[in-house]
Amino acid sequence: MVAKVLKKARRDFMFRYGRRLRQMEHWLVARLAMAVIGLLRLLPPDSALNFADRVARRIGPMVGRHRVAVNNLRLAYPEKSDAEIEAIASDMWGNMARLAAEYIFLDALFDFDPNAAKPGRVEVRGVEHFVEIAGEKKPHILFTGHLGNFELLPVAAATFGMNITALFRPPNNPYLADYIHSTRRSSMGGLLPSSTGASFALAAILENGGNIGVLVDQKFTNGVETTFFGRPCQSNPVLGMLARHYDCDVYPARCVRLPGNRFRLDIEDKLTLPRAESGSVDVHATTQLLADVVERWVREDPGQWMWFHKRWEMSGRRRKRREQAKEAG
């Protein structure tokens, strides 16, 4: 009895100690990040972004996620040489550093003016779709992937008067999450953190005739099985489910990073969603269609996607079934 009590006390102590250690680590990382942000604020935007790019290209290959990125790239592009793979990985780190630094200047970066005599830092393709969606009194879904500075898309939507709520995944570090959320909130429309119950919140927005923006290129544990670059992965079916229930239009949108710290925002024609024999939206086929659209974007600009994400890691029962199938074969 005494041994059980001591064991429980030790377990509780280690849990509390580990939690406080993680909290301290988060605080220290956040303080370091804020110090770097403070230094970057002293620079003109272009100088700050270029500096962040150069530093990331040097540091990125030293971190463990670089190996994940290189392995994913080799599997996705078996025909490419090691030098080509490393070049894409380097571009990826530069892109990620620019994305992080651009939070500081987010309001200043978006300078799109449809009446301007010459193009600014941001150009937009598909202006008519932004205007149409903003003017229609019915729900819409816009989806994108982690390409370029995807954070500029909600800024563009708000600029065109579009009422949109973007689903986002906050960082694990709560101190950084608070900063990023406050930065986003200052220049975007509504924001909804991805958590338990988020799908119900999205449904409520569509029910009231609102518009939602969703990132669709992340792994979703126990999601529906799809393929991406010819490899099996798990994807979130919620967009297809919402499209089926509300029968709303779905638009692909992306940000492409251009030379000279410029951007192009593309909102493409609405998708023709696959349907079952009953006429309702086929959720699984729609989820695969979204993956195919993102794959097309990534193939066009591979250095602007997050290759260090464990997109193809299978989990749950599907992983066990695949392992059993391999053993049987």
Side-chain angles (χ1 to χ4, degrees):
M1 182 67 179
V2 175
K4 288 184 178 180
V5 173
L6 290 174
K7 185 176 180 180
K8 183 179 184 302
R10 181 178 179 277
R11 186 169 60 246
D12 291 344
F13 171 78
M14 293 302 295
F15 175 77
R16 290 194 298 270
Y17 176 76
R19 184 172 58 183
R20 290 179 180 176
L21 194 63
R22 284 193 299 273
Q23 185 177 7
M24 182 180 296
E25 180 184 2
H26 286 323
W27 186 86
L28 289 172
V29 169
R31 295 283 71 76
L32 176 61
M34 298 308 291
V36 173
I37 288 171
L39 292 174
L40 290 176
R41 284 185 187 278
L42 300 176
L43 300 174
D46 287 318
S47 298
L49 300 182
N50 293 338
F51 174 76
D53 182 292
R54 290 194 300 271
V55 172
R57 287 174 185 270
R58 289 181 176 274
I59 296 177
M62 302 178 187
V63 303
R65 286 281 177 167
H66 185 76
R67 292 191 295 273
V68 176
V70 169
N71 182 60
N72 284 336
L73 281 163
R74 283 174 176 156
L75 292 171
Y77 295 103
E79 74 283 1
K80 291 188 180 296
S81 66
D82 288 346
E84 290 173 314
I85 294 297
E86 288 292 344
I88 295 174
S90 180
D91 288 343
M92 176 200 69
W93 289 119
N95 176 70
M96 294 307 302
R98 288 177 180 276
L99 174 62
E102 284 158 0
Y103 276 112
I104 306 170
F105 309 103
L106 203 56
D107 289 330
L109 289 176
F110 189 86
D111 63 352
F112 177 74
D113 181 358
N115 300 315
K118 59 180 181 179
R121 190 184 293 272
V122 176
E123 61 183 67
V124 178
R125 288 184 182 175
V127 171
E128 67 278 8
H129 294 317
F130 275 115
V131 174
E132 181 181 5
I133 295 170
E136 290 182 336
K137 297 186 180 299
K138 65 177 186 177
H140 305 81
I141 301 175
L142 283 76
F143 73 92
T144 190
H146 291 84
L147 289 131
N149 190 332
F150 51 90
E151 302 287 9
L152 288 175
L153 291 166
V155 180
T159 300
F160 284 101
M162 186 191 302
N163 177 27
I164 188 167
T165 298
L167 182 69
F168 76 102
R169 182 186 183 279
N172 294 328
N173 187 316
Y175 302 101
L176 288 177
D178 289 343
Y179 168 75
I180 291 175
H181 190 220
S182 65
T183 303
R184 284 170 158 169
R185 189 169 49 216
S186 67
S187 54
M188 301 180 187
L191 292 169
L192 178 67
S194 58
S195 59
T196 303
S199 58
F200 295 103
L202 293 175
I205 293 167
L206 294 175
E207 183 73 37
N208 292 320
N211 308 303
I212 62 173
V214 185
L215 287 154
V216 299
D217 58 342
Q218 291 179 304
K219 172 195 169 183
F220 187 75
T221 302
N222 292 324
V224 299
E225 186 169 322
T226 56
T227 59
F228 190 62
F229 279 80
R231 299 166 59 196
C233 58
Q234 292 169 290
S235 301
N236 192 338
V238 68
L239 192 154
M241 295 168 66
L242 292 172
R244 179 178 63 185
H245 186 77
Y246 295 99
D247 199 22
C248 51
D249 294 336
V250 176
Y251 287 85
R254 63 166 165 169
C255 174
V256 179
R257 193 178 295 282
L258 303 175
N261 295 318
R262 298 180 61 251
F263 310 88
R264 187 180 75 242
L265 306 182
D266 292 341
I267 180 167
E268 301 177 359
D269 296 339
K270 66 182 178 182
L271 294 180
T272 300
L273 302 181
R275 295 181 178 268
E277 292 183 1
S278 62
S280 62
V281 171
D282 185 323
V283 173
H284 186 276
T286 295
T287 307
Q288 181 63 62
L289 176 60
L290 305 182
D292 293 341
V293 171
V294 175
E295 180 178 332
R296 168 170 58 83
W297 292 340
V298 175
R299 287 188 180 278
E300 291 176 9
D301 299 287
Q304 298 189 27
W305 191 64
M306 299 191 306
W307 288 96
F308 57 74
H309 176 51
K310 296 182 179 180
R311 182 68 178 94
W312 293 274
E313 184 179 73
M314 304 293 284
S315 60
R317 287 175 293 180
R318 286 182 177 83
R319 181 177 181 179
K320 292 181 179 178
R321 286 202 296 266
R322 285 192 167 275
E323 290 175 349
Q324 291 171 355
K326 287 181 179 179
E327 291 175 359

